[in-house]
Structures are given as structure tokens and as C-alpha cells.
Amino acid sequence: AQKVTQAQTEISVVEKEDVTLDCVYETRDTTYYLFWYKQPPSGELVFLIRRNSFDEQNEISGRYSWNFQKSTSSFNFTITASQVVDSAVYFCALSEPTGTASKLTFGTGTRLQVTL
Amino acid sequence: DVKVTQSSRYLVKRTGEKVFLECVQDMDHENMFWYRQDPGLGLRLIYFSYDVKMKEKGDIPEGYSVSREKKERFSLILESASTNQTSMYLCASKNPNSYEQYFGPGTRLTVT
């Protein structure tokens, strides 16, 4: 069975600090996809990134970066120079291979609070 | 942009009532999903639908049913609401050729 663990329940940082959100996953599949979603106070989950299991290159998008390490089954998310607008709940998710509507297994989420 | 809408943002119902939660997407997506979100538990899949009239149970289907009569609409039904079904309900949709799911704003249901 697939499993996603986000051990950090809540993180508080001061604006401009860097912060890393951890994600560890378990799967028996050799082909899979990993995701990060952001849930701001408005409630709607916003897609941030997708990574497939064959691509271990790190990715950077503005202040966001993602570190995928297959050897440790981790897909960590770093926000550089955090801002108040980054305050949200962040979910890591794992998708099974195609063929069955590709269900997502979510972690329990990490609540990030960025203060001035 | 994909738009997924849910009929209500907040809903209060009494124990034993039949409750309908509606979800509509405007991108002709074949796959649709219903999740519930609870503190400390993340999102858990209740039901999903491959296509019209096709449905499959997710991880926690007990106490729920679904209906998909039209491609754009996916309804979640609580036949007899109970207090342990108080939760945030999120609908999502996607194209079968992609992996990203697009979410609606959620319905916060309170059963008293």
C-alpha cells in the first residue's frame, strides 16, 4: 500500500527565513508521481509541482525548490525567503500509475505560519 | 483555466437528514473524485468516478454514495447524515491523460 508521511504538523517562521517541508513516501511501484499542493486559508488546494519517479533532478521555481531523492524516498519542499502569503497548509501526495484514474494518496499536511 | 465548483461553502444539517453535495467541472474531465479532509488525517478518498455512470469506492466509502449522470457533475450523497460526517469535503477532477487533480473550494459540512 502507498503511504505518505509529513512528520511536521506545524512550522512557524519569521518572514524572510528559509523553510523546508519534509515528505517521505512508501510505494512498491517503480513508476509513480509525486506532488505538492498548497491549501491557503480560502480552502482550495492549489497544484504546485509534479515529479515522476524517473526524474531526480531538483527543480526551482522562483522562491520554491524541490529535492527528490529516490534513495531515501523523500520529496522535500523548500521555500526561500518566506513571505506572509506563503502561510498555508502544504500537502505532499503520491500517485499510483495510470490505468485506474491515478488516485492520489495524501500526507497529513504541514501547516506553515509565516509572521512579520 | 480549469474550474471546479461546489454547490455550497458551508452547510449545516441535522442527524438523519439526506445530504447532497454537488460538484461541477467545466473542462470535460472524465475523472472526478470526492475527498474528506479532517485535522491530522489529511485528505482521504471517499469515491471516484472514471466516467459517466462509472464509480469506484475509495478508502472510506462507508456512509456515502455517489452519482455521476453527466460528465461535468459528480454528486456525493450522505443517505443519513451522522455527526461523525462533520468535515470538509473536497471535490477534484482530472483528465485521464494527466496526473494533476484540480480541486474545488470545498464544502464545510456540520452535522448536528
Side-chain angles (χ1 to χ4, degrees), chain A residues 9 31-33 35 37 39 41-47 49-50 89 91 95-109, chain B residues 4 9 31 33 35 37-38 40-45 48-50 56-59 88 90 94 96 98-106:
Chain A
T9 305
T31 303
Y32 52 88
Y33 286 79
F35 300 79
Y37 281 86
Q39 186 179 39
S42 61
E44 185 172 331
L45 269 76
V46 177
F47 166 76
I49 190 171
R50 179 192 78 201
V89 181
F91 290 96
S95 173
E96 61 186 23
T98 54
T100 56
S102 300
K103 293 182 290 180
L104 290 176
T105 298
F106 284 86
T108 52
Chain B
V4 180
R9 291 301 304 270
N31 305 151
F33 306 81
Y35 296 88
Q37 181 181 359
D38 300 288
L41 297 177
L43 276 75
R44 294 179 291 167
L45 182 64
F48 64 100
S49 169
Y50 299 106
E56 190 165 318
K57 293 179 181 179
D59 300 319
M88 168 73 96
L90 290 158
K94 76 171 195 63
S98 73
Y99 291 89
E100 294 91 285
Q101 294 186 18
Y102 296 89
F103 284 82

Side-chain angles (χ1 to χ4, degrees), chain A residues 14-19 63 79-84 86 114:
Chain A
V14 177
E15 202 175 40
K16 296 183 184 174
E17 282 186 25
D18 298 347
V19 58
R63 297 184 296 107
I79 301 175
T80 302
S82 59
Q83 299 177 2
V84 172
D86 296 325
V114 182

Side-chain angles (χ1 to χ4, degrees), chain B residues 65-84:
Chain B
S65 62
V66 292
S67 172
R68 184 116 181 254
E69 296 297 317
K70 293 186 177 181
K71 195 172 189 177
E72 67 271 18
R73 188 180 298 270
F74 191 34
S75 302
L76 180 69
I77 303 158
L78 288 66
E79 295 289 343
S80 178
S82 64
T83 55
N84 63 13

Side-chain angles (χ1 to χ4, degrees), chain B residues 1 7-8 22 30-32 37-38 61 71-72 91 97 109:
Chain B
D1 279 352
S7 50
S8 306
E22 305 286 343
E30 292 179 11
N31 305 151
M32 295 187 75
Q37 181 181 359
D38 300 288
K71 195 172 189 177
E72 67 271 18
C91 174
N97 297 323
L109 172 67

Side-chain angles (χ1 to χ4, degrees), chain B residues 1-52:
Chain B
D1 279 352
V2 176
K3 187 112 177 120
V4 180
T5 56
Q6 294 183 229
S7 50
S8 306
R9 291 301 304 270
Y10 300 93
L11 207 53
V12 179
K13 295 292 182 181
R14 293 195 179 275
T15 302
E17 277 193 76
K18 189 169 186 175
V19 181
F20 292 85
L21 302 183
E22 305 286 343
C23 175
V24 177
Q25 50 93 3
D26 66 358
M27 283 301 291
D28 205 35
H29 285 170
E30 292 179 11
N31 305 151
M32 295 187 75
F33 306 81
W34 273 107
Y35 296 88
R36 65 176 280 175
Q37 181 181 359
D38 300 288
L41 297 177
L43 276 75
R44 294 179 291 167
L45 182 64
I46 305 171
Y47 265 97
F48 64 100
S49 169
Y50 299 106
D51 206 337
V52 177

